[in-house]
Amino acid sequence: MSGNTLTRNTGVAADEDGDIVFSNNDNGRISSGSSSSSDGLRKGGKSGVEVRHLDDADDNSNEEAQLLHSDSEDDGLELDELTSPDSDVENRPFRKSKSRQQGRKRHRYCDWLWGGPAPSKTQRIEPRTWLLPRLQAGLVDVLDCLFPQKWQKGMLLVGFGIVWMLTVVVPVVLTKGKVVADGQEVKHLSCVSSLWGGNAECGLDGRLCEPFGNTSVAFRCPADCAGVKLLNPRWVGNQQINYRAYVIGGGEGFYRGDSFVCQAGVHAGVVTDKKGGCGRVKLKGEYYRFENSTQNGVESVQFGSYFPMSYEVEKVEGCGRGDARWGQLIVSVGLSLLLGAGTRSGKVMFFGGFTGVFLHVGLVSDPPDIEVMSGKLVQELVGIMVGRLLPAVFVMVVVYWAIGRRTLEGVDEGANWEKTLLWMGGLWLGGLTNNTFEAWIPISRLEGHDLRQQPGAVVALVVVVGLLIALGTLQAWHFWQEGRLPKFLAFYAGAIAVIATLVVMPGLELRLHHYVLALLLLPGTAMQTRPSLLFQGLLVGLFINGVARWGFDSVLQTYDSIRGDGQYGSLVPEVVAPFIETLEMGVKQETIHFKWSALDDVARLREKIEGISVLVNDVERFRGWFTETKLEDMVFSWPRFRKADEYFRFSFVGEGGNTLDWTEAGTWFANGTWSKGVGFYKV
C-alpha cells in the first residue's frame, strides 16, 4: 500500500485540522466525516498523517488485499501512533495486544456459548416427503374450496363445537341422570364411598353411623373403581394395609361395614369395572369372621373377629344405562383429530382441543368425587365444571400467547396431520392421567412420607427425574440454536428460587399439583419442533386433568389440610402392660384392664392434647378427658363377650375432639393371652 493510506476497520481518520475522527463506514474504509472533497484526499497538517479515500476504481491490488486483512489485526493500530508526529505509520507494522486478543476470543466464546450460533436457527417443522405432505394438507384444501369465506369457516367452527359438546353432554344426562329402582331413588356414590368412617369417625360405639342393620340403600357406581387404592395406611384388626383395594370380607358374601361399597359391588359381581352400574346394599348388623377372596379383579382383606356393621350387595332392576365413558372417549378423540387436521389456525386447534378435553375429563372420564342422589348429579357436575373451566381458560390465554403460538402457528400444511397427532395425542395422554400415568407410575403424591412408604415410588421418581433431565437438555439445545437459551435458563432459575422460598415457609407444606407441574414445564416447549408439539400437548392435558378433577388447590397448604386420614407424627399413648382378670362365677368371665404412663405437661400443651381414645376391633369404645381425670389415673376395662381375638389401639384426642396418631394394634387372643404391637409400650 502506498503513501499514508489507511484501510483499517477501526474507522479512524484525520480531519482538515489534523484531528482524529472516528466513523462507522459500512465498507470498513476510513472517511473524514466530510463529503465535500471531490478528490477524496485529506491532509493533516498538525499530525503529518495523510488519509486518502479508497473509493476510486483504480485502487491497486495491494490496497484491496489489505481491505481483506484478518480481523486478528484489528486492534493493532494504537491511537497514539496516529496522533504522534514522530510515528512512522507507513513503515511500521501494526502491533498486536496479546491480552486484548485473548479477551476478544473469550468474549466471542461467551457470545457463542450463551447466544448460540451466528446466525441463529429458528426451529421450523418441515414436511417429510415420505409422509405424503400433499395428503396431509388435503382436508384443509377441501374446506377452503367448500367454505372460501372467513365467515363461512366461522359458522362451520361454531357448528362443529356444538356437535362436540352434544356428544359429551347428552350421554352424561342419559347415564348419570335420575334413576329410580324398585320405587326408590338411587344414590350416586364415588369409588371410595363407604357406610362407616375410618378410626373414630363414627363416634363412640359407632353411633354416628347407625343404623347397623335391617335397612337397605340402592346405589349407582361409576366405572373404573376396581383399581382405586388407599393412599394412607389403615388398620384392619392387627393388619396395616395401604396401596390396595379396601374391601374386607366378601368370601362368604358378607362385607365389613367400612368397605368401599363400589369396590365391594365389583367384587360381588353386581357392578362391572368397565361400565359401573347399580346395586343394593342390605345391612345385616353384627357379623363375625369376614373371609377374604379374590373375585372380578378385586382382592379382599380377611378380618377374623366381629364388627357391628356388615352388609350384602345384590343386583337391582331398572338401573338404566351404564357408564359410557369409553365409547364417548372414542368419539371425542376422533372429533379432536378432525379439528386439528382441518385447520391452519394454531388458536383454533389449541383452544378447541383444550375446551373439548376439559369437558370430557370434568364430566366423563375423571369427574370429581360426588356422593349425592342421582337426580342432582348432572347439575352438580356441570356447576363444578363451569366454575373450574372459566379461570382455566384465562390461564390458557396467557399460556398460548407466551408459549403455544410459537409451537402451533405457521406449521406447514404438509405436516398438518403430524402436528395434529403429536399435539392432540399428547393432550389426551395427559388429560387421561388417571388411566395412563397414574396407572403406570407408582407415585401417588410428591411427599417424602408417601414416597418412602409406597412400593417402587423412589425408583420411579429417579427414573422420571432422569427422563425430565434428558428431555430438558434436548429442549435447551433447541433454545441455544435459536439464541434464546439465556431467557430459558433465567426463567427456571427464577422458578427454582421461588420454589425454594416456598419450601421454607413455616407451618406450610408445598404441594406441586398436576396443574402446577404443567405450568412449570410448559415454557420449555416454546418452540416449533416435533418433540415440543408432543410435550406441550401432554402438559396442557396434565393441567386439564388437575384442574377439572381437583380444582385450583393452593400450592401452600397446612399439613392438616393435606393429611387426610394419614399420620400426624404426633405423640401416642404409652400403655402400661395390661392386667387380665378372670372370674369363675359358674361361667368364666375375663376382663382386660389398661392404664397409661403419665404425660408430660409440656408435651401435652405443645400438642394441645385434651384426652384419650380407645378402639376395640376398629370401633371407638372409650374416650376420656383430662379435665376430669389425669391420664395416669384413668383405667379402661373391657370384658370379653365373645370367644374371639380382639384388637386394641390407642390415641390421644387433640383440639376440637380430633384423634391424633394411633398406636399399632395389640391383640387379646381368644385363649386369654396378650400380645402387644411393635413399639406398643415400654416394659
Side-chain angles (χ1 to χ4, degrees):
M1 185 173 185
S2 61
N4 290 327
T5 302
L6 299 179
T7 61
R8 308 294 299 148
N9 290 334
T10 52
V12 182
D15 65 7
E16 295 177 351
D17 297 325
D19 294 329
I20 300 301
V21 178
F22 293 83
S23 67
N24 292 322
N25 195 302
D26 291 340
N27 58 19
R29 302 173 183 178
I30 301 300
S31 66
S32 65
S34 173
S35 61
S36 61
S37 176
S38 61
D39 59 2
L41 295 177
R42 292 291 182 269
K43 295 183 180 180
K46 292 182 182 180
S47 62
V49 178
E50 181 182 32
V51 181
R52 178 158 53 90
H53 281 286
L54 299 179
D55 298 327
D56 297 330
D58 59 349
D59 285 344
N60 59 48
S61 60
N62 290 334
E63 292 172 329
E64 293 296 337
Q66 188 150 351
L67 282 171
L68 300 174
H69 200 277
S70 170
D71 287 344
S72 64
E73 296 182 358
D74 286 354
D75 299 317
L77 181 62
E78 299 293 333
L79 186 60
D80 58 355
E81 292 179 327
L82 289 174
T83 57
S84 172
D86 299 327
S87 61
D88 186 3
V89 180
E90 179 180 7
N91 301 318
R92 187 175 174 185
F94 293 121
R95 294 181 309 184
K96 300 178 182 178
S97 172
K98 187 175 181 180
S99 61
R100 292 181 64 184
Q101 186 179 18
Q102 291 175 343
R104 188 181 185 90
K105 289 182 178 179
R106 286 194 299 269
H107 180 69
R108 289 176 179 173
Y109 176 74
C110 290
D111 284 347
W112 176 84
L113 179 63
W114 293 106
S120 61
K121 179 183 177 183
T122 301
Q123 305 296 315
R124 291 295 178 200
I125 295 176
E126 299 296 337
R128 293 170 173 169
T129 55
W130 60 276
L131 288 177
L132 306 176
R134 294 189 63 182
L135 182 61
Q136 292 196 47
L139 183 57
V140 174
D141 293 338
V142 169
L143 292 177
D144 282 342
C145 293
L146 297 177
F147 306 95
Q149 301 298 320
K150 189 174 182 179
W151 68 267
Q152 293 175 325
K153 290 184 174 67
M155 294 299 294
L156 178 65
L157 181 62
V158 170
F160 183 87
I162 292 174
V163 171
W164 194 350
M165 184 177 66
L166 291 176
T167 63
V168 174
V169 174
V170 172
V172 167
V173 173
L174 294 176
T175 60
K176 300 181 185 294
K178 183 177 180 180
V179 174
V180 176
D182 298 335
Q184 182 182 19
E185 184 177 358
V186 172
K187 186 174 185 178
H188 180 83
L189 304 179
S190 72
C191 291
V192 296
S193 297
S194 65
L195 304 176
W196 188 286
N199 292 325
E201 291 181 16
C202 285
L204 199 62
D205 297 324
R207 293 169 188 165
L208 299 179
C209 295
E210 292 179 325
F212 301 153
N214 297 321
T215 187
S216 65
V217 178
F219 65 89
R220 180 176 61 194
C221 293
D224 294 339
C225 285
V228 173
K229 300 177 182 179
L230 291 173
L231 296 181
N232 286 316
R234 286 198 186 186
W235 285 90
V236 178
N238 61 350
Q239 308 171 73
Q240 189 182 51
I241 64 173
N242 200 9
Y243 300 110
R244 58 171 297 174
Y246 194 66
V247 178
I248 305 167
E252 297 179 350
F254 288 86
Y255 298 90
R256 208 172 84 161
D258 55 342
S259 301
F260 291 161
V261 173
C262 288
Q263 283 193 327
V266 174
H267 183 270
V270 172
V271 300
T272 66
D273 186 51
K274 184 177 180 180
K275 290 188 175 182
C278 296
R280 185 183 301 279
V281 166
K282 298 183 69 174
L283 297 178
K284 295 295 185 179
E286 183 176 282
Y287 191 76
Y288 171 72
R289 191 176 291 280
F290 297 84
E291 299 294 341
N292 67 316
S293 66
T294 300
Q295 298 172 195
N296 303 311
V298 178
E299 182 182 2
S300 64
V301 181
Q302 182 178 10
F303 179 64
S305 191
Y306 58 90
F307 196 82
M309 178 190 287
S310 66
Y311 63 80
E312 292 179 301
V313 184
E314 61 182 23
K315 291 182 178 291
V316 297
E317 300 298 331
C319 181
R321 299 171 178 85
D323 194 311
R325 65 181 61 188
W326 295 109
Q328 289 180 264
L329 175 63
I330 294 173
V331 174
S332 290
V333 169
L335 290 173
S336 67
L337 296 179
L338 189 62
L339 174 68
T343 182
R344 296 184 182 88
S345 172
K347 299 184 187 71
V348 171
M349 181 172 174
F350 186 94
F351 290 103
F354 172 82
T355 305
V357 176
F358 198 103
L359 289 173
H360 183 87
V361 173
L363 296 177
V364 181
S365 68
D366 198 14
D369 287 335
I370 298 177
E371 188 174 325
V372 67
M373 300 307 294
S374 59
K376 298 180 180 179
L377 177 62
V378 175
Q379 296 91 320
E380 291 283 345
L381 287 176
V382 171
I384 293 173
M385 187 272 299
V386 172
R388 293 173 178 176
L389 175 62
L390 293 180
V393 168
F394 285 111
V395 173
M396 285 297 106
V397 168
V398 177
V399 168
Y400 182 80
W401 178 83
I403 301 166
R405 62 192 177 98
R406 290 180 176 270
T407 310
L408 295 175
E409 292 290 352
V411 178
D412 192 287
E413 295 174 13
N416 219 31
W417 272 104
E418 289 182 75
K419 175 189 71 174
T420 300
L421 290 173
L422 289 170
W423 198 86
M424 286 294 186
L427 185 69
W428 282 107
L429 193 65
L432 300 175
T433 298
N434 56 309
N435 298 113
T436 56
F437 296 112
E438 290 181 5
W440 303 336
I441 303 174
I443 299 177
S444 299
R445 293 176 296 199
L446 287 175
E447 296 177 6
H449 178 265
D450 291 330
L451 292 173
R452 288 190 297 271
Q453 70 179 6
Q454 186 169 3
V458 175
V459 174
L461 181 63
V462 171
V463 172
V464 170
V465 171
L467 185 61
L468 288 177
I469 291 174
L471 297 177
T473 303
L474 172 65
Q475 296 301 94
W477 164 255
H478 291 307
F479 275 110
W480 178 81
Q481 289 185 310
E482 290 193 348
R484 295 193 290 137
L485 182 61
K487 294 181 180 179
F488 173 80
L489 296 178
F491 171 82
Y492 282 103
I496 291 172
V498 171
I499 291 173
T501 302
L502 296 177
V503 166
V504 299
M505 294 287 286
L508 295 171
E509 298 281 337
L510 177 66
R511 292 294 307 277
L512 294 178
H513 302 287
H514 290 66
Y515 79 91
V516 177
L517 284 173
L519 293 178
L520 285 174
L521 297 176
L522 270 169
T525 67
M527 68 187 73
Q528 195 178 106
T529 63
R530 288 174 173 85
S532 294
L533 283 171
L534 177 63
F535 301 154
Q536 187 177 112
L538 191 149
L539 292 172
V540 172
L542 189 66
F543 174 90
I544 290 173
N545 184 269
V547 175
R549 179 69 170 83
W550 306 105
F552 286 97
D553 273 359
S554 173
V555 296
L556 288 177
Q557 296 176 301
T558 62
Y559 182 75
D560 288 349
S561 66
I562 63 176
R563 181 187 65 90
D565 58 355
Q567 295 286 316
Y568 283 95
S570 64
L571 291 174
V572 294
E574 185 179 308
V575 184
V576 177
F579 169 67
I580 300 175
E581 179 183 15
T582 302
L583 298 177
E584 297 288 350
M585 300 178 59
V587 177
K588 183 179 180 181
Q589 178 65 51
E590 294 180 313
T591 303
I592 189 169
H593 306 277
F594 293 94
K595 290 178 63 73
W596 301 273
S597 300
L599 178 63
D600 179 74
D601 288 338
V602 175
R604 180 176 62 83
L605 293 173
R606 181 181 68 246
E607 301 200 20
K608 301 178 181 180
I609 297 173
E610 299 178 355
I612 191 169
S613 175
V614 180
L615 298 182
V616 181
N617 284 358
D618 306 320
V619 179
E620 187 176 36
R621 298 298 187 180
F622 173 79
R623 180 169 290 206
W625 302 99
F626 298 156
T627 54
E628 301 172 357
T629 308
K630 292 182 179 181
L631 177 62
E632 59 270 26
D633 295 333
M634 287 185 180
V635 178
F636 169 64
S637 301
W638 181 255
R640 169 157 281 166
F641 299 105
R642 300 163 189 82
K643 197 72 172 179
D645 295 346
E646 295 176 299
Y647 309 100
F648 296 79
R649 292 188 289 134
F650 307 88
S651 169
F652 286 124
V653 179
E655 191 176 26
N658 297 317
T659 56
L660 304 179
D661 288 347
W662 294 87
T663 63
E664 296 187 7
T667 305
W668 188 19
F669 292 104
N671 61 11
T673 60
W674 166 260
S675 174
K676 67 181 181 67
V678 177
F680 193 80
Y681 58 79
K682 296 181 181 179
V683 179

